[in-house]
Amino acid sequence: MFLLRFVTILALTCGLSLARAESLVLLTENLPPFNMSATGNNFARDDNVTGISTDILRVVCERAEVDCQLILRFPWQRVYQQTLNDAGYGLFSTARTAEREKLFKWVGPVASNDWVLFAKGDSAIQLASLDDARRYRIGGYKGDAKTQFLLDKGFELQTALRDNENVHKLNRGQIDLWLASSQAGRFMARQEGMENLKVVQHLHTADLYLALNLQTPDELVQKLQKTLDSLRAEGALKAIEDRY
């Protein structure tokens, strides 16, 4: 009887340890329509975090039987650094760049993001190439992959801690061009009361990923990736995207 009770307790303990081992805290920021607070605030958690990438990862975690806590915080640099430093953390929606490749373990792609330069809808600006943009004042989001993309090409940018500041700068004529995501930029501009935008240059199409701390077990990464691939094959990801 004692041996049976000991084995039962040991099994339960091992099971609890396994459950704890397969749990993650997934961090994000406001990047509509991919991830956003349901209330519009710069802090939200679990059911109050929504968006294309959020809903997809929520379904992936449920199907893979991984306990995932979703937390939206500001700014991006803070949640990026926490994921980089702390085991058990993940970050979405993250562009998978060459500079970041070896800093994280990756699951995805979860969604795709078009990088563009916006001008005001009534602007006379026309660009024959990206290099033509060098003579204009460009606003970007501090610490963002899109911003780094242009900085690496030698561009000068005015960076803002909050990307919605760039919407107002563009509207007031303080910048000529806004570096943003085509999807998220239009969504954010509408929220800030600005409908009149036009794309003057397409820069890049970036796949968005879940970036996981390097200490995340490979088995867990593979389980999440396999689940994501299965859901994509079933058409479940497209159904989520269509809701937005």
Side-chain angles (χ1 to χ4, degrees), residues 175-193:
I175 57 175
D176 305 305
L177 301 171
W178 174 31
L179 173 61
S181 154
S182 176
Q183 304 94 318
R186 291 190 186 280
F187 191 99
M188 182 182 297
R190 286 196 299 270
Q191 286 185 316
E192 299 298 323

Side-chain angles (χ1 to χ4, degrees), residues 2-224:
F2 175 78
L3 180 60
L4 177 60
R5 183 176 298 173
F6 176 77
V7 171
T8 302
I9 292 172
L10 181 62
L12 288 171
T13 303
C14 290
L16 183 59
S17 298
L18 179 60
R20 285 177 178 167
E22 294 199 342
S23 65
L24 293 167
V25 178
L26 304 186
L27 303 175
T28 191
E29 64 157 355
N30 273 312
L31 181 68
F34 300 107
N35 20 272
M36 52 192 171
S37 165
T39 62
N41 295 329
N42 281 320
F43 178 82
R45 63 192 314 156
D46 297 326
D47 291 344
N48 285 323
V49 187
T50 185
I52 295 171
S53 298
T54 306
D55 290 354
I56 287 173
L57 289 174
R58 186 178 281 119
V59 172
V60 168
C61 289
E62 290 173 357
R63 174 77 68 89
E65 298 183 341
V66 177
D67 181 20
C68 294
Q69 181 182 13
L70 302 173
I71 298 177
L72 180 148
R73 281 196 181 124
F74 170 84
W76 173 257
Q77 285 184 308
R78 174 184 175 184
V79 292
Y80 181 94
Q81 201 63 40
Q82 187 165 9
T83 304
L84 194 63
N85 294 338
D86 296 343
Y89 280 79
L91 180 66
F92 71 99
S93 300
T94 312
R96 187 173 180 174
T97 64
E99 295 78 13
R100 295 173 175 172
E101 181 67 31
K102 295 182 179 180
L103 300 178
F104 301 98
K105 294 183 179 179
W106 300 91
V107 174
V110 177
S112 292
N113 191 13
D114 294 323
W115 299 357
V116 300
L117 287 173
F118 282 118
K120 292 178 67 174
D122 58 359
S123 170
I125 294 175
Q126 294 184 345
L127 304 181
S129 68
L130 179 57
D131 276 342
D132 286 351
R134 293 183 186 275
R135 63 178 179 266
Y136 295 103
R137 297 167 299 169
I138 303 173
Y141 183 25
K142 185 176 178 62
D144 183 64
K146 297 183 290 295
T147 297
Q148 192 60 49
F149 179 83
L150 284 191
L151 290 174
D152 288 345
K153 293 182 178 295
F155 280 76
E156 292 185 6
L157 276 78
Q158 299 180 29
T159 58
L161 193 59
R162 300 172 186 266
D163 206 16
N164 61 350
E165 293 176 14
N166 287 312
V167 177
H168 299 296
K169 286 182 178 180
L170 184 66
N171 199 29
R172 292 192 296 258
Q174 293 172 315
I175 57 175
D176 305 305
L177 301 171
W178 174 31
L179 173 61
S181 154
S182 176
Q183 304 94 318
R186 291 190 186 280
F187 191 99
M188 182 182 297
R190 286 196 299 270
Q191 286 185 316
E192 299 298 323
M194 185 177 181
E195 298 276 355
N196 198 17
L197 288 175
K198 69 176 183 180
V199 174
V200 293
Q201 184 69 38
H202 181 273
L203 279 70
H204 180 64
T205 297
D207 286 331
L208 300 176
Y209 284 76
L210 168 62
L212 295 165
N213 180 272
L214 284 177
Q215 295 185 55
T216 308
D218 288 339
E219 295 81 3
L220 178 53
V221 178
Q222 292 161 9
K223 177 190 282 191
L224 292 170

